[in-house]
């Protein structure tokens, strides 16, 4: 991270920090693997004879849902709604054994101590997000919007819909918000809306993903986000 990048971020007057959920806040599928959730979605698609061969090997339930939701024709809307509800149930199960990302609790408390507003914008379901934040005693620190996966899964990130909703609820401008995410979908949504973006990349694979997504600022520890702010 170069000094020029830091200056560009701190000079705009950040008022709100929005966090992605699975990754930056917690490891949602720590005890209930994402592959299990994906297998259940694929099983349902198999029952309906609607599982595309190219998606049969995926272990990413959110990517699977988005792929199905963004396809046209037939009863795609109804099928994606059913998968959305099924995934929400899997996420609630996973939330019971989720683990908080190291450094996030201290970051959240530090941001609030500075008077910054905090919100969540995530492709995960609202109930799972709330359950984890409540169980980890972090919910009370989020005074901003908690925007979870919409009913229309086509509006999941990388679409900018949810970030626009969060900025609108905050009553501020996109350039006064910072969004911390750990995927190319997060980076693309931020680009569409004009929100400042910081990539959280703990692994070499994630760092490559952030580089490919043209993320200008990348941290390997959540607590390092604080160093980007004045």
């Amino acid at each position: 991270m170069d000094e020029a990048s830091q200056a560009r971020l701190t000079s705009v007057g950040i008022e709100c920090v929005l966090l992605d959920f699975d990754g930056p806040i917690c490891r949602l599928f720590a005890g209930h693997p994402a592959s299990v959730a994906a297998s259940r979605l694929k099983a349902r698609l198999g029952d309906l004879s609607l599982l595309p061969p190219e998606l049969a090997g995926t272990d990413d339930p959110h990517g699977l849902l988005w792929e199905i939701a963004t396809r046209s024709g037939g009863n795609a809307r109804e099928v994606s709604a059913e998968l959305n509800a099924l995934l929400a149930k899997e996420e609630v199960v996973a939330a019971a054994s989720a683990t908080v990302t190291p450094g996030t609790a201290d970051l959240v408390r530090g941001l609030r101590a500075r008077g910054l507003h905090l919100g969540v914008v995530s492709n995960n379901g609202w109930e799972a997000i709330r359950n984890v934040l409540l169980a980890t005693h972090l919910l009370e620190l989020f005074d901003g919007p908690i925007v979870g996966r919409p009913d229309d899964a086509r509006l999941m990130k990388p679409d900018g819909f949810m970030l626009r909703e969060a900025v609108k609820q905050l009553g501020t401008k996109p350039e006064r918000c910072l969004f911390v995410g750990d995927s190319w979908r997060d980076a693309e949504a931020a680009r569409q809306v004009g929100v400042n973006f910081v990539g959280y990349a703990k692994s070499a694979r994630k760092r490559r993903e952030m580089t490919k997504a043209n993320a200008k600022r990348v941290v390997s520890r959540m607590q390092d986000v604080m160093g980007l702010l004045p």
Side-chain angles (χ1 to χ4, degrees), residues 4-212:
S5 294
Q6 287 186 321
R8 283 195 294 272
L9 177 59
T10 58
S11 66
V12 297
I14 300 297
E15 297 176 349
C16 175
V17 178
L18 300 166
L19 303 178
D20 180 37
F21 179 64
D22 190 9
I25 292 179
C26 73
R27 185 181 168 203
L28 177 60
F29 293 100
H32 183 67
S35 59
V36 173
S39 68
R40 288 178 181 161
L41 267 64
K42 290 187 290 185
R44 182 54 185 152
L45 286 170
D47 291 341
L48 298 170
S49 300
L50 293 174
L51 178 61
E54 66 272 21
L55 297 178
T58 184
D59 285 333
D60 176 7
H62 297 86
L64 176 61
L65 172 59
W66 184 78
E67 288 284 353
I68 296 299
T70 53
R71 297 187 179 208
S72 59
N75 58 345
R77 186 74 62 86
E78 292 79 7
V79 171
S80 66
E82 182 178 349
L83 294 180
N84 198 340
L86 180 58
L87 179 54
K89 291 179 181 178
E90 292 295 313
E91 289 170 328
V92 169
V93 173
S97 55
T99 57
V100 176
T101 299
T104 293
D106 288 340
L107 172 66
V108 167
R109 294 187 182 99
L111 293 172
R112 287 297 291 133
R114 291 192 181 195
L116 294 170
H117 299 294
L118 285 178
V120 178
V121 178
S122 171
N123 280 346
N124 296 115
W126 184 88
E127 186 175 358
I129 297 170
R130 181 184 179 279
N131 286 357
V132 172
L133 292 180
L134 190 61
T136 56
H137 308 289
L138 294 176
L139 182 61
E140 62 196 41
L141 297 174
F142 285 84
D143 63 327
I146 295 178
V147 182
R149 186 172 61 251
D151 292 336
D152 185 349
R154 294 176 300 176
L155 299 176
M156 294 166 63
K157 296 171 291 180
D159 194 283
F161 171 79
M162 291 188 290
L163 271 177
R164 289 192 189 94
E165 284 297 301
V167 172
K168 183 174 165 184
Q169 289 183 41
L170 286 161
T172 189
K173 297 178 180 179
E175 59 267 27
R176 297 209 174 260
C177 295
L178 171 65
F179 180 45
V180 183
D182 71 336
S183 76
W184 71 266
R185 292 180 174 88
D186 297 322
E188 173 58 20
R191 186 197 65 78
Q192 288 183 24
V193 179
V195 168
N196 297 283
F197 179 72
V198 171
Y200 169 58
K202 194 175 178 183
S203 66
R205 179 182 66 82
K206 281 293 184 180
R207 284 192 290 274
R208 288 193 296 270
E209 183 176 342
M210 290 294 103
T211 298
K212 190 174 181 180

Side-chain angles (χ1 to χ4, degrees), residues 1-12 216-218 227-230:
M1 188 190 323
D2 58 53
E3 292 182 2
S5 294
Q6 287 186 321
R8 283 195 294 272
L9 177 59
T10 58
S11 66
V12 297
K216 296 179 180 178
R217 308 172 191 90
V218 180
L228 296 174
L229 300 167

